[in-house]
Amino acid sequence: MTENVDSRLRDESGKNPCQLVCVRCTSKILSPGMGTYMDLEFELYSIEKEREGEKEKVGRFYKVDDVFNFDNLGFTNTVGNHKFLSCADCDLGPIGYHDLTTRLSYLACD
């Protein structure tokens, strides 16, 4: 990953440097500094209409320690120990996942 990409995804402390919004409705999802950038691989279903139902590997996430740190977050399906995250305003998702074991949430950057 290049230094330019790093500075857009994380600040000096590894946190998200700007407000994160839904790509469909621009609803506020996560305030600056509330998520910690992580390189982590996880499979999510694609949110693109052309690839609906297909799984894709996502490799960059913001780890959020408390679900109450999100602004407009909803939950969709629960599969095993994971609940999938969605935009609470337009239901776009999955945009990440919540681990029921650790109680940590992961919001996709990709």
Side-chain angles (χ1 to χ4, degrees):
M1 192 169 355
T2 66
E3 199 170 311
N4 187 23
V5 174
D6 276 351
S7 66
R8 286 185 302 145
L9 293 176
R10 59 184 168 200
D11 61 18
E12 315 76 46
S13 63
K15 302 286 188 177
N16 59 304
C18 58
Q19 177 73 50
L20 300 177
V21 298
C22 176
V23 295
R24 181 189 291 162
C25 72
T26 67
S27 181
K28 199 169 130 179
I29 301 288
L30 190 66
S31 296
M34 299 306 289
T36 304
Y37 178 85
M38 294 188 73
D39 287 318
L40 171 74
E41 197 167 283
F42 192 84
E43 279 191 341
L44 293 174
Y45 285 99
S46 178
I47 61 172
E48 298 173 16
K49 282 189 178 186
E50 305 81 39
R51 298 182 55 214
E52 188 174 341
E54 292 179 30
K55 284 188 175 181
E56 61 183 342
K57 287 185 182 179
V58 179
R60 300 184 298 183
F61 289 88
Y62 290 111
K63 179 182 74 169
V64 181
D65 295 332
D66 188 336
V67 293
F68 294 107
N69 290 339
F70 288 102
D71 295 308
N72 293 301
L73 183 75
F75 292 98
T76 60
N77 300 339
T78 301
V79 179
N81 286 329
H82 300 107
K83 282 187 175 218
F84 292 101
L85 309 180
S86 65
C87 173
D89 287 339
C90 73
D91 293 326
L92 177 70
I95 57 174
Y97 69 97
H98 176 77
D99 187 312
L100 295 170
T101 305
T102 64
R103 296 184 174 221
L104 298 173
S105 298
Y106 298 88
L107 184 65
C109 299
D110 295 335

